[in-house]
Amino acid sequence: MKLDLQTELCRRLNITYPVIQAGMAGGPTTAEMVAGVSNAGGLGKLGAAYMVPDAIRDTVRAIRRLTDRPFGVNLFTVDMTDDLSRVREVQRMLDPLREELGIAHGKEDLRTPNWFAEQFQVLLEEEVPVISTAFGVLPDDAMREAKAAGRTVMTMVTTVEEAKLAEEKGADVLVAQGSDAGGHRGTFDITKHPYGANIGTFSLVPQIVDNVRVPVVAAGGVMDGRGLVAALALGAQGVQLGTRFLTSAESGAHPAYKKALLESTEEDTVITKAFSGRPARGIRNAFIDHVENSGVAPLPFPSQNTATGDIRKEAAAQNDPRYLSLWAGQATRLLTDGDRAEEIVKEIIAQAQELLK
Amino acid sequence: MKLDLQTELCRRLNITYPVIQAGMAGGPTTAEMVAGVSNAGGLGKLGAAYMVPDAIRDTVRAIRRLTDRPFGVNLFTVDMTDDLSRVREVQRMLDPLREELGIAHGKEDLRTPNWFAEQFQVLLEEEVPVISTAFGVLPDDAMREAKAAGRTVMTMVTTVEEAKLAEEKGADVLVAQGSDAGGHRGTFDITKHPYGANIGTFSLVPQIVDNVRVPVVAAGGVMDGRGLVAALALGAQGVQLGTRFLTSAESGAHPAYKKALLESTEEDTVITKAFSGRPARGIRNAFIDHVENSGVAPLPFPSQNTATGDIRKEAAAQNDPRYLSLWAGQATRLLTDGDRAEEIVKEIIAQAQELLK
């Protein structure tokens, strides 16, 4: 049998099973979720891109109290400089949604914090075993520091070219993210592909595997043991699952978001820049329709994300999924409701073992 | 071992290996290709949608002279009524391309033939074992005739809802076509999804498998034995490959088209209505750019296909890939050049057997 759950990736990451939980930014990846996945033998990851550096430190310590297994933290490596040249127009376009929610009109003096250097420093200081990035490779100096400290560097890629570049720059593990994936994917440069490089997971994985030497992890549409075995067959050494953990017991996702996920089908998602200015896959809702029908282009990332923050926050407070970002992959019919992260990993492994028996 | 190449689908179709060659319309699927795939133990399929009924009869007889194994023929079940209300505008938009090629301006008195009834009759008379359709299920009366005659009916589907409908209407086998697939996919109704229902193959297959009882075949991005084993892991009982056979020795694809396929990467395709009025995935070229940048919407299918026919024919005569329809899936890096169809099937099987050993 050539297909085996104990892959080189497992040895590389010092984990038992090649199941990685995606480090989704914005709150769903709690310390409990990360530790639960790692305790089950997989690799939990904290999505820390939007977190204040001190909060990352606190959460990493909380994870450590819950598990002695390896885990990861995911950051963004994209330029966080604001471009607010069109902020007035965009805020006026968004204001009707604020009126609907009963909050003040949008401000024009926005400013997105750029915490990358401090965030990265926390990961080094707290000895986070796996440093993962989206939207690009670690900057050269950070890469050197991470490698010198013996950390494993994981990079999300969406094309063969990105994969080759990441390998060349020193990434130890590549996550091949197909267009099936939910939320923001890792496309390095959205100038060439304004809606992300949308290569289906099934097509992307073997083409990346054939063009790099480092272990490749499949992401995008992986939901169960069938997906794990399929990914291994395509040449991956493991899988990364994001959406699958959003409806877990430990998920920090808003209850209205979980409900929308559980009620959605494969036909419900779209790729939109409406929330953040970067393309991301989510369940179509009134917010997306409003922005996309407005004729006003979103601000570039991260400014659009900052501009829409008050609306999303208030929608969450009002339990109103119409204006929340409902990030989701294309296989939500395979979701379960309220399983513990640990159970999810165990179930995936049991199903894969059964298929491979 | 739960994964096995001898699936229920093989017994149902009376074939040795669960490898189906897609019935791609427009000429690439020669009698030699179809027979080659069937002789290797798979199922070859003639893409007959644009063929005059008598030509289908002749080709089916040619296939029979080359193989005594089962094979299939694929037809379209979509309404072929022309809507020429905007033909003048579209022809004027296309005329610069004709001038470039040195041919006469486009005509306004187009007419698309509707041969479905006669095509279907030929399949019945010639006792074609497998009747396959794109863009919808066989009409009720045709379904009854096909079943009464003991034929296997195969339907291409792109969503769970389409899969359920096709099963309910009597389809014996469903081909779950992910967004990775090249050319026109089977989306029944493009009103809801103007660019087709674009669910990645990896996500689509298990969700369809979970919702129907008939055998499911995975299509879209499947190129080799890895893809076959991955499809089986996801719950499919077989695979359908289109792009993979376009560069085979027996392929009727134009040499300039084969060259473009072999030189393309996963980043080169787009989904466009420029050629036919229905969404289809192909390598971006000057024709697509011209139509999409023109500000003039294509005619509805099939009228756009009819309107652009003279341009594509002349571009072929001039060996000019700029104005050809270069249909391609998202995994063209896995193509081989000039292998015989029979070798391709054997290689896929050998690779899958090795993985499953």
Coordinates of all heavy atoms in Angstrom, one line a residue, chain B residues 222-290:
Chain B
V222 N -9.3 15.5 -13.5 CA -8.7 14.1 -13.4 C -7.8 13.9 -14.6 O -8.2 14.0 -15.7 CB -9.9 13.0 -13.4 CG1 -9.3 11.7 -13.1 CG2 -10.9 13.4 -12.3
M223 N -6.6 13.5 -14.3 CA -5.6 13.4 -15.4 C -4.8 12.1 -15.3 O -4.1 11.7 -16.3 CB -4.6 14.6 -15.3 CG -5.3 15.9 -15.5 SD -6.0 16.2 -17.1 CE -4.6 16.8 -18.0
D224 N -4.7 11.4 -14.2 CA -3.8 10.3 -14.1 C -4.4 9.3 -13.0 O -5.5 9.5 -12.5 CB -2.4 10.7 -13.8 CG -2.3 11.6 -12.5 OD1 -3.2 11.5 -11.7 OD2 -1.3 12.3 -12.4
G225 N -3.5 8.3 -12.6 CA -3.9 7.3 -11.7 C -4.2 7.9 -10.3 O -5.0 7.4 -9.5
R226 N -3.4 9.0 -10.0 CA -3.6 9.7 -8.7 C -5.1 10.2 -8.7 O -5.8 10.1 -7.6 CB -2.6 10.8 -8.5 CG -1.2 10.4 -8.4 CD -0.3 11.6 -8.3 NE -0.2 12.3 -9.5 CZ 0.7 13.3 -9.8 NH1 1.5 13.7 -8.8 NH2 0.7 14.0 -10.9
G227 N -5.5 10.8 -9.7 CA -6.8 11.4 -9.8 C -7.9 10.3 -9.7 O -8.9 10.5 -9.1
L228 N -7.6 9.1 -10.3 CA -8.6 8.0 -10.3 C -8.7 7.5 -8.8 O -9.8 7.4 -8.3 CB -8.1 6.9 -11.2 CG -8.9 5.5 -11.1 CD1 -10.4 5.7 -11.2 CD2 -8.4 4.5 -12.1
V229 N -7.6 7.3 -8.1 CA -7.7 6.9 -6.7 C -8.3 7.9 -5.9 O -9.2 7.6 -5.0 CB -6.3 6.5 -6.2 CG1 -6.4 6.1 -4.7 CG2 -5.8 5.3 -7.0
A230 N -8.0 9.2 -6.1 CA -8.6 10.3 -5.3 C -10.1 10.3 -5.5 O -10.9 10.5 -4.5 CB -8.0 11.6 -5.7
A231 N -10.6 10.1 -6.7 CA -12.0 10.1 -7.0 C -12.7 9.0 -6.3 O -13.8 9.1 -5.7 CB -12.2 10.0 -8.5
L232 N -12.1 7.8 -6.3 CA -12.6 6.6 -5.6 C -12.7 6.9 -4.1 O -13.7 6.6 -3.4 CB -11.8 5.4 -5.9 CG -11.8 4.9 -7.3 CD1 -10.8 3.7 -7.4 CD2 -13.2 4.5 -7.8
A233 N -11.7 7.6 -3.6 CA -11.7 7.9 -2.1 C -12.8 8.8 -1.8 O -13.4 8.7 -0.7 CB -10.3 8.5 -1.7
L234 N -13.1 9.8 -2.7 CA -14.2 10.7 -2.5 C -15.6 10.1 -2.6 O -16.6 10.8 -2.4 CB -14.0 11.9 -3.4 CG -12.8 12.8 -3.1 CD1 -12.6 13.8 -4.3 CD2 -12.9 13.5 -1.8
G235 N -15.6 8.8 -3.0 CA -16.9 8.1 -3.1 C -17.4 7.9 -4.5 O -18.4 7.3 -4.7
A236 N -16.6 8.4 -5.5 CA -17.0 8.1 -6.9 C -16.7 6.7 -7.2 O -16.0 6.0 -6.6 CB -16.2 9.1 -7.8
Q237 N -17.4 6.2 -8.3 CA -17.1 4.8 -8.7 C -16.3 4.8 -10.0 O -16.1 3.8 -10.6 CB -18.4 4.1 -9.0 CG -19.2 4.0 -7.7 CD -20.3 2.9 -7.8 OE1 -20.3 2.1 -8.7 NE2 -21.1 2.9 -6.8
G238 N -15.9 6.0 -10.5 CA -15.1 6.1 -11.7 C -14.8 7.5 -12.0 O -15.1 8.4 -11.2
V239 N -14.0 7.7 -13.1 CA -13.6 9.0 -13.5 C -13.9 9.2 -15.0 O -14.0 8.3 -15.7 CB -12.1 9.3 -13.3 CG1 -11.8 9.4 -11.8 CG2 -11.2 8.2 -13.9
Q240 N -14.2 10.5 -15.3 CA -14.3 10.9 -16.7 C -13.2 11.9 -17.0 O -13.1 12.9 -16.3 CB -15.7 11.4 -17.0 CG -15.8 11.9 -18.4 CD -17.3 12.2 -18.8 OE1 -18.1 11.3 -18.8 NE2 -17.6 13.4 -19.2
L241 N -12.5 11.7 -18.1 CA -11.4 12.6 -18.5 C -11.6 13.1 -19.9 O -11.9 12.3 -20.8 CB -10.0 11.8 -18.5 CG -9.6 11.2 -17.2 CD1 -10.2 9.8 -17.1 CD2 -8.1 11.1 -17.1
G242 N -11.6 14.4 -20.0 CA -11.7 15.0 -21.3 C -10.4 15.6 -21.8 O -9.8 15.0 -22.7
T243 N -9.9 16.6 -21.2 CA -8.7 17.3 -21.6 C -7.5 16.3 -21.8 O -6.8 16.4 -22.7 CB -8.2 18.3 -20.5 OG1 -9.4 19.1 -20.2 CG2 -7.1 19.2 -21.0
R244 N -7.5 15.3 -20.9 CA -6.4 14.3 -21.0 C -6.2 13.6 -22.3 O -5.1 13.2 -22.7 CB -6.6 13.2 -19.9 CG -5.6 12.2 -19.7 CD -4.3 12.8 -19.2 NE -3.3 11.7 -18.8 CZ -2.4 11.4 -19.7 NH1 -2.3 11.9 -20.9 NH2 -1.5 10.4 -19.3
F245 N -7.4 13.5 -23.0 CA -7.4 12.8 -24.3 C -7.2 13.7 -25.5 O -7.0 13.2 -26.6 CB -8.6 11.9 -24.5 CG -8.6 10.7 -23.6 CD1 -9.3 10.7 -22.4 CD2 -7.9 9.6 -23.9 CE1 -9.3 9.6 -21.5 CE2 -7.9 8.5 -23.1 CZ -8.6 8.5 -21.9
L246 N -7.2 15.0 -25.3 CA -7.2 16.0 -26.4 C -5.8 15.9 -27.1 O -5.7 16.2 -28.3 CB -7.5 17.4 -25.9 CG -8.9 17.7 -25.5 CD1 -9.0 19.1 -24.9 CD2 -9.8 17.6 -26.8
T247 N -4.8 15.6 -26.3 CA -3.4 15.6 -26.9 C -3.0 14.1 -27.2 O -1.8 13.9 -27.4 CB -2.4 16.2 -26.0 OG1 -2.5 15.6 -24.7 CG2 -2.7 17.7 -25.8
S248 N -3.9 13.2 -27.2 CA -3.6 11.8 -27.6 C -3.3 11.7 -29.1 O -3.7 12.6 -29.9 CB -4.7 10.9 -27.2 OG -5.9 11.1 -28.0
A249 N -2.8 10.6 -29.5 CA -2.4 10.4 -30.9 C -3.7 10.4 -31.8 O -3.7 11.0 -32.9 CB -1.7 9.1 -31.1
E250 N -4.8 9.9 -31.2 CA -6.0 9.8 -32.0 C -6.9 11.0 -32.0 O -7.9 11.1 -32.7 CB -6.9 8.6 -31.5 CG -6.2 7.2 -31.7 CD -5.4 6.8 -30.4 OE1 -5.0 7.8 -29.6 OE2 -5.3 5.6 -30.1
S251 N -6.5 12.0 -31.2 CA -7.4 13.2 -31.0 C -7.6 13.9 -32.3 O -6.6 14.1 -33.1 CB -6.8 14.1 -30.0 OG -7.4 15.4 -30.1
G252 N -8.8 14.4 -32.6 CA -9.1 15.2 -33.7 C -8.9 16.7 -33.5 O -9.2 17.5 -34.3
A253 N -8.3 17.0 -32.3 CA -8.1 18.4 -32.0 C -7.0 19.0 -33.0 O -6.1 18.3 -33.4 CB -7.6 18.6 -30.5
H254 N -7.2 20.2 -33.3 CA -6.3 20.9 -34.3 C -4.9 21.0 -33.7 O -4.7 21.2 -32.5 CB -6.8 22.3 -34.5 CG -6.2 23.0 -35.6 ND1 -4.9 23.6 -35.5 CD2 -6.6 23.3 -36.9 CE1 -4.6 24.1 -36.7 NE2 -5.6 24.0 -37.5
P255 N -3.9 20.8 -34.5 CA -2.5 20.8 -34.0 C -2.2 22.1 -33.2 O -1.5 22.0 -32.2 CB -1.6 20.7 -35.2 CG -2.5 20.0 -36.2 CD -3.9 20.4 -35.9
A256 N -2.7 23.2 -33.6 CA -2.4 24.5 -32.9 C -3.1 24.5 -31.5 O -2.6 25.1 -30.6 CB -3.0 25.7 -33.7
Y257 N -4.2 23.8 -31.4 CA -4.9 23.6 -30.2 C -4.1 22.7 -29.2 O -3.9 23.0 -28.1 CB -6.3 23.1 -30.5 CG -7.3 22.7 -29.3 CD1 -7.1 23.2 -28.0 CD2 -8.4 22.0 -29.6 CE1 -8.0 22.9 -27.0 CE2 -9.3 21.6 -28.6 CZ -9.1 22.1 -27.3 OH -10.0 21.7 -26.3
K258 N -3.7 21.6 -29.8 CA -2.8 20.7 -29.0 C -1.6 21.4 -28.4 O -1.2 21.2 -27.3 CB -2.4 19.5 -29.8 CG -3.5 18.5 -30.2 CD -2.9 17.3 -30.9 CE -4.0 16.4 -31.4 NZ -3.5 15.2 -32.0
K259 N -1.0 22.2 -29.3 CA 0.2 22.9 -28.9 C -0.1 23.9 -27.8 O 0.6 24.0 -26.8 CB 0.8 23.7 -30.1 CG 2.1 24.4 -29.9 CD 2.7 24.8 -31.3 CE 4.0 25.5 -31.1 NZ 3.8 26.9 -30.7
A260 N -1.2 24.6 -27.9 CA -1.6 25.6 -26.9 C -1.9 24.8 -25.5 O -1.5 25.3 -24.5 CB -2.8 26.3 -27.3
L261 N -2.5 23.6 -25.6 CA -2.8 22.8 -24.4 C -1.4 22.5 -23.7 O -1.3 22.6 -22.5 CB -3.5 21.6 -24.8 CG -5.0 21.7 -25.1 CD1 -5.5 20.5 -25.8 CD2 -5.8 22.0 -23.8
L262 N -0.5 22.0 -24.5 CA 0.8 21.5 -24.0 C 1.6 22.6 -23.4 O 2.4 22.4 -22.5 CB 1.5 20.7 -25.0 CG 0.9 19.4 -25.4 CD1 1.5 18.9 -26.7 CD2 1.0 18.3 -24.3
E263 N 1.4 23.8 -23.9 CA 2.2 25.0 -23.4 C 1.5 25.7 -22.3 O 2.0 26.7 -21.7 CB 2.4 25.9 -24.5 CG 3.4 25.4 -25.5 CD 3.6 26.2 -26.8 OE1 2.8 27.2 -26.9 OE2 4.4 25.9 -27.6
S264 N 0.2 25.3 -21.9 CA -0.5 26.1 -20.9 C -0.2 25.6 -19.5 O 0.3 24.6 -19.3 CB -2.0 25.9 -21.2 OG -2.4 24.6 -20.9
T265 N -0.6 26.5 -18.6 CA -0.5 26.2 -17.2 C -1.9 26.3 -16.5 O -2.8 26.7 -17.2 CB 0.5 27.1 -16.4 OG1 -0.2 28.3 -16.1 CG2 1.7 27.3 -17.2
E266 N -1.9 26.0 -15.2 CA -3.2 26.1 -14.5 C -3.7 27.5 -14.4 O -4.9 27.7 -14.0 CB -3.1 25.4 -13.1 CG -2.3 26.2 -12.1 CD -0.8 26.3 -12.3 OE1 -0.3 25.7 -13.2 OE2 -0.1 27.0 -11.5
E267 N -2.9 28.5 -14.7 CA -3.3 29.9 -14.6 C -3.9 30.4 -15.8 O -4.4 31.6 -15.9 CB -2.1 30.8 -14.2 CG -1.5 30.4 -12.8 CD -0.5 31.4 -12.4 OE1 -0.8 32.6 -12.3 OE2 0.7 31.1 -12.2
D268 N -3.9 29.6 -16.9 CA -4.2 30.2 -18.2 C -5.7 30.1 -18.7 O -6.1 30.8 -19.7 CB -3.4 29.5 -19.3 CG -1.9 29.8 -19.2 OD1 -1.6 30.9 -18.6 OD2 -1.1 29.0 -19.6
T269 N -6.5 29.4 -17.9 CA -7.9 29.3 -18.4 C -8.8 30.3 -17.8 O -8.6 30.8 -16.7 CB -8.5 27.8 -18.2 OG1 -8.7 27.6 -16.8 CG2 -7.6 26.8 -18.8
V270 N -9.9 30.6 -18.5 CA -11.0 31.4 -18.0 C -12.3 30.7 -18.4 O -12.3 29.9 -19.3 CB -11.0 32.8 -18.6 CG1 -9.8 33.6 -18.1 CG2 -11.0 32.8 -20.1
I271 N -13.4 31.1 -17.7 CA -14.7 30.7 -18.1 C -15.3 31.8 -18.9 O -15.4 32.9 -18.4 CB -15.5 30.3 -16.9 CG1 -14.9 29.1 -16.2 CG2 -17.0 29.9 -17.3 CD1 -15.6 28.7 -14.9
T272 N -15.7 31.5 -20.1 CA -16.2 32.5 -21.0 C -17.4 32.1 -21.8 O -17.6 30.9 -22.1 CB -15.1 32.9 -22.0 OG1 -15.6 34.0 -22.8 CG2 -14.7 31.7 -22.9
K273 N -18.3 33.0 -22.2 CA -19.4 32.8 -23.1 C -19.1 33.2 -24.5 O -19.9 33.2 -25.4 CB -20.6 33.5 -22.6 CG -21.2 33.0 -21.3 CD -22.4 33.8 -21.0 CE -23.0 33.4 -19.6 NZ -24.3 34.2 -19.3
A274 N -17.8 33.7 -24.7 CA -17.5 34.4 -26.0 C -17.7 33.5 -27.2 O -18.1 34.0 -28.2 CB -16.0 34.9 -25.9
F275 N -17.4 32.2 -27.1 CA -17.5 31.4 -28.3 C -18.9 30.9 -28.6 O -19.3 30.8 -29.7 CB -16.6 30.2 -28.1 CG -15.1 30.5 -28.2 CD1 -14.3 30.6 -27.1 CD2 -14.5 30.9 -29.4 CE1 -13.0 30.9 -27.1 CE2 -13.2 31.2 -29.5 CZ -12.4 31.2 -28.3
S276 N -19.6 30.5 -27.5 CA -20.9 29.8 -27.8 C -22.1 30.4 -27.1 O -23.2 30.0 -27.4 CB -20.8 28.4 -27.2 OG -20.8 28.4 -25.8
G277 N -21.9 31.3 -26.2 CA -23.1 31.9 -25.5 C -23.4 31.1 -24.2 O -24.2 31.6 -23.4
R278 N -22.8 30.0 -24.0 CA -22.8 29.2 -22.8 C -21.4 29.2 -22.1 O -20.4 29.2 -22.8 CB -23.3 27.8 -22.9 CG -24.8 27.6 -22.9 CD -25.1 26.1 -22.9 NE -25.1 25.5 -21.6 CZ -26.2 25.3 -20.9 NH1 -27.4 25.6 -21.4 NH2 -26.1 24.8 -19.7
P279 N -21.4 29.3 -20.8 CA -20.0 29.3 -20.2 C -19.2 28.0 -20.4 O -19.8 26.9 -20.4 CB -20.4 29.4 -18.7 CG -21.8 28.9 -18.6 CD -22.5 29.2 -19.8
A280 N -18.0 28.2 -20.8 CA -17.1 27.1 -21.0 C -15.7 27.5 -20.6 O -15.3 28.7 -20.7 CB -17.1 26.7 -22.5
R281 N -14.9 26.6 -20.1 CA -13.5 26.9 -19.7 C -12.5 26.6 -20.8 O -12.5 25.6 -21.4 CB -13.1 26.1 -18.5 CG -11.7 26.4 -17.9 CD -11.3 25.6 -16.7 NE -12.1 25.8 -15.5 CZ -12.0 26.9 -14.8 NH1 -11.1 27.8 -15.1 NH2 -12.7 27.0 -13.7
G282 N -11.7 27.7 -21.1 CA -10.7 27.5 -22.2 C -9.5 28.4 -21.9 O -9.6 29.3 -21.0
I283 N -8.5 28.2 -22.6 CA -7.3 29.0 -22.5 C -7.6 30.4 -23.1 O -8.1 30.5 -24.2 CB -6.1 28.4 -23.3 CG1 -5.8 27.0 -22.7 CG2 -4.9 29.3 -23.3 CD1 -4.9 26.1 -23.5
R284 N -7.3 31.4 -22.3 CA -7.5 32.8 -22.7 C -6.7 33.1 -23.9 O -5.5 32.8 -24.0 CB -7.1 33.7 -21.6 CG -7.3 35.2 -21.9 CD -6.8 36.1 -20.8 NE -7.8 36.3 -19.7 CZ -8.9 37.0 -19.8 NH1 -9.3 37.6 -20.9 NH2 -9.7 37.1 -18.7
N285 N -7.4 33.6 -25.0 CA -6.7 34.0 -26.2 C -7.3 35.3 -26.7 O -8.1 36.0 -26.1 CB -6.7 32.9 -27.2 CG -8.1 32.5 -27.7 OD1 -9.1 33.2 -27.3 ND2 -8.2 31.6 -28.5
A286 N -6.8 35.7 -27.9 CA -7.2 37.0 -28.5 C -8.7 37.1 -28.7 O -9.4 38.1 -28.6 CB -6.4 37.3 -29.7
F287 N -9.3 36.0 -29.1 CA -10.8 36.0 -29.4 C -11.6 36.3 -28.1 O -12.4 37.2 -28.1 CB -11.2 34.6 -29.9 CG -12.7 34.5 -30.3 CD1 -13.1 34.8 -31.6 CD2 -13.6 34.3 -29.3 CE1 -14.4 34.8 -31.9 CE2 -15.0 34.3 -29.7 CZ -15.4 34.5 -31.0
I288 N -11.2 35.6 -27.0 CA -11.9 35.9 -25.7 C -11.7 37.3 -25.3 O -12.7 38.0 -25.0 CB -11.4 34.9 -24.6 CG1 -11.7 33.5 -25.0 CG2 -11.9 35.3 -23.3 CD1 -11.1 32.4 -24.1
D289 N -10.5 37.8 -25.4 CA -10.2 39.2 -25.0 C -11.0 40.2 -25.9 O -11.6 41.1 -25.3 CB -8.7 39.5 -25.2 CG -7.9 38.9 -24.1 OD1 -8.4 38.5 -23.0 OD2 -6.7 38.7 -24.3
H290 N -11.1 39.9 -27.2 CA -11.8 40.8 -28.1 C -13.3 40.9 -27.7 O -13.8 42.0 -27.5 CB -11.7 40.4 -29.5 CG -12.5 41.2 -30.5 ND1 -12.0 42.4 -31.0 CD2 -13.7 41.0 -31.0 CE1 -13.0 42.9 -31.8 NE2 -14.0 42.1 -31.8

